[in-house]
């Protein structure tokens, strides 16, 4: 059976926070396997941003056209996005296992946060006001700012004890465990959870056959 190609389009958004979902877009580096890169092009970044509702279809079309006009700038944004993505994974996996992010990862996040906060604006909404993000000096990078902002808010104000990594060691995706008794073990029960159940069932069958 042919292996399904892993792309931003079929990335399961199961993290419970856009920063964790973005961190999960790079498979393998911590699990010890060969990394599976989903973020190859600026179009991949746009796909994630649209699926995560960071930008709408109209803005995505404008940014795609801008990236086509300025391919070197788009490639630079993709490289920066990978740095942010990998730093998010390192920071939150450290939180999940040790309770605290490493200082070197916090410093990288601060550099992104310092830049992005310049572009945060209040905007009227149905309640009163909400946050929005201006295009900034490099509009191609604008989807990075709400991602790093979500990470900062989670690190500062979130229930960090709910940040976990998937119990499937071949996966190790990050997620927020919002279950009442904080017993969630898998990034997705229908995927990694079902695989674990199948392995346990197979082990029991083998054990019974050996008796």
């Amino acid at each position: 059976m042919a292996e399904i190609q892993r792309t931003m389009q079929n990335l399961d958004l199961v993290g419970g926070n856009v920063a964790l979902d973005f961190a999960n877009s790079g498979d393998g580096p911590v699990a010890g396997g060969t990394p599976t890169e989903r973020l190859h092009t600026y179009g991949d970044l746009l796909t994630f941003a649209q699926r995560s509702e960071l930008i709408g279809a109209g803005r995505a079309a404008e940014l795609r056209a801008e990236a086509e006009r300025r391919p070197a700038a788009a490639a630079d944004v993709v490289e920066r996005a990978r740095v942010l993505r990998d730093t998010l994974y390192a920071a939150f996996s450290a939180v999940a296992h040790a309770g605290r992010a490493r200082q070197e990862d916090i410093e990288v996040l601060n550099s992104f946060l310092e830049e992005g906060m310049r572009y945060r604006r209040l905007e009227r909404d149905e309640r009163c006001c909400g946050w929005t993000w201006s295009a900034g000096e490099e509009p191609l990078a604008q989807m990075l700012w709400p991602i790093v902002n979500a990470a900062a808010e989670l690190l500062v104000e979130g229930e960090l004890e709910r940040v976990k990594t998937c119990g499937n060691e071949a996966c190790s995706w990050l997620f927020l465990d919002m279950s009442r008794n904080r017993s969630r073990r898998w990034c997705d029960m229908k995927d990694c959870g079902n695989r674990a159940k199948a392995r346990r069932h197979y082990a029991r069958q083998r054990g019974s056959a050996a008796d």
Side-chain angles (χ1 to χ4, degrees):
M1 181 181 296
E3 183 178 352
I4 297 174
Q5 184 179 8
R6 297 181 178 184
T7 67
M8 283 294 196
Q9 189 62 53
N10 61 26
L11 173 69
D12 289 331
L13 304 179
V14 296
N17 181 288
V18 69
L20 301 186
D21 283 329
F22 191 56
N24 289 339
S25 70
D27 290 345
V30 175
T34 301
T36 302
E37 181 59 77
R38 285 181 166 91
L39 183 52
H40 299 282
T41 68
Y42 189 76
D44 295 329
L45 188 58
L46 286 178
T47 296
F48 178 84
Q50 277 192 268
R51 292 190 62 213
S52 302
E53 299 182 351
L54 301 178
I55 59 173
R59 185 56 179 156
E62 293 171 357
L63 291 173
R64 193 180 303 276
E66 178 75 6
E68 291 174 355
R69 287 192 295 269
R70 301 168 57 222
D76 181 65
V77 170
V78 170
E79 186 59 35
R80 294 180 66 198
R82 290 195 193 109
V83 171
L84 175 59
R85 187 267 315 277
D86 293 345
T87 303
L88 289 172
Y89 190 96
F92 283 105
S93 61
V95 166
H97 292 104
R100 298 181 67 187
R102 299 180 305 172
Q103 182 61 33
E104 53 263 44
D105 294 324
I106 295 299
E107 289 173 0
V108 174
L109 293 179
N110 269 333
S111 68
F112 280 95
L113 190 64
E114 182 179 3
E115 181 177 359
M117 291 298 284
R118 289 183 289 167
Y119 310 127
R120 191 161 80 155
R121 301 287 185 271
L122 284 172
E123 183 179 68
R124 293 182 63 190
D125 60 18
E126 293 181 359
R127 187 192 68 84
C128 173
C129 297
W131 291 117
T132 188
W133 304 87
S134 67
E137 297 171 8
E138 178 47 270
L140 293 173
Q142 69 181 82
M143 69 286 290
L144 302 184
W145 315 137
I147 293 173
V148 73
N149 184 70
E153 290 184 346
L154 180 56
L155 287 167
V156 173
E157 301 176 354
E159 297 180 77
L160 294 182
E161 66 276 8
R162 293 188 181 272
V163 177
K164 295 183 178 180
T165 57
C166 182
N168 178 1
E169 293 182 357
C171 172
S172 296
W173 271 11
L174 294 158
F175 64 89
L176 284 178
D177 179 5
M178 301 309 295
S179 63
R180 181 172 298 179
N181 60 358
R182 301 179 188 179
S183 60
R184 180 177 164 188
R185 297 179 58 194
W186 319 108
C187 64
D188 190 347
M189 186 61 205
K190 70 177 183 291
D191 190 353
C192 288
N194 280 341
R195 287 199 190 106
K197 286 171 62 177
R199 285 195 298 270
R200 289 196 298 270
H201 177 69
Y202 178 69
R204 285 196 299 270
Q205 283 188 322
R206 290 195 63 182
S208 298
D211 291 340

